[in-house]
């Protein structure tokens, strides 16, 4: 079989009457291998750190990483080179996010690897206590 994320040259020759034609050639990349497992850490009310394992084979030009509060919604992605982690900020507290990581190799993107993660819930507002008696209080 072929290797994911690799550029190949396809050469075709016509044979007729014992004679070969000139070759017609075309280069084509195979689809990039999907990135490895995603690890999400350092989750706060408005941020999370995303890391992922490398695609197992082939040329890797970059990774496209995106985050979305809804499944199947296209959001702008961040192109990452030279590292396999990214910190997303400006998120909303108590929200389920879908993180998507795609390997880019020669213009042929891999299938996305996805993982979901909730941000931490926001801290409640100030507590007001009143009407305190010997056996009760209003909160």
């Amino acid at each position: 079989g072929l290797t994911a994320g690799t550029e190949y040259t396809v050469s075709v020759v016509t044979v007729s009457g014992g004679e070969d034609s000139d070759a017609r050639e075309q280069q084509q990349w195979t689809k990039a291998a999907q990135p490895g497992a995603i690890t999400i850490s350092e989750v706060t009310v408005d941020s999370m750190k995303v890391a992922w394992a490398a695609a197992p084979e082939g040329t890797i030009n970059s990774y496209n990483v995106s985050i979305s509060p809804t499944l199947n919604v296209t959001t702008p992605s961040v192109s990452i080179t030279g590292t396999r982690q990214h910190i997303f900020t400006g998120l909303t507290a108590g929200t389920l996010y879908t993180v998507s990581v795609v390997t880019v190799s020669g213009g042929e993107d891999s299938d996305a690897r996805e993982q979901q993660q909730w941000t931490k819930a926001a801290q409640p507002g100030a507590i007001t206590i009143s009407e305190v008696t010997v056996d009760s209080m209003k909160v």
Side-chain angles (χ1 to χ4, degrees):
L2 303 179
T3 301
T6 302
E7 184 179 30
Y8 289 92
T9 300
V10 177
S11 181
V12 179
V13 175
T14 303
V15 178
S16 177
E19 295 294 321
D20 293 355
S21 69
D22 291 337
R24 170 96 48 195
E25 294 185 345
Q26 181 172 329
Q27 283 75 33
Q28 179 63 51
W29 286 85
T30 51
K31 191 172 189 171
Q34 192 177 41
I38 295 173
T39 303
I40 299 176
S41 61
E42 301 176 26
V43 178
T44 69
V45 295
D46 63 357
S47 68
M48 64 179 73
K49 180 178 180 179
V50 178
W52 58 94
E57 62 183 354
T59 301
I60 301 167
N61 297 114
S62 63
Y63 293 95
N64 288 338
V65 187
S66 62
I67 192 165
S68 174
T70 309
L71 278 172
N72 302 320
V73 171
T74 303
T75 58
S77 62
V78 178
S79 181
I80 307 291
T81 56
T83 185
R84 290 190 316 274
Q85 64 182 24
H86 184 71
I87 297 175
F88 286 100
T89 60
L91 306 179
T92 302
T95 301
L96 179 63
Y97 284 91
T98 300
V99 173
S100 175
V101 182
V102 172
T103 307
V104 177
S105 177
E108 295 292 329
D109 295 356
S110 72
D111 292 333
R113 181 163 309 273
E114 295 182 335
Q115 185 168 324
Q116 293 187 309
Q117 176 67 50
W118 288 89
T119 50
K120 287 190 175 181
Q123 186 177 30
I127 299 172
T128 303
I129 300 173
S130 63
E131 300 178 28
V132 178
T133 70
V134 292
D135 63 354
S136 67
M137 66 179 75
K138 182 178 178 182
V139 180

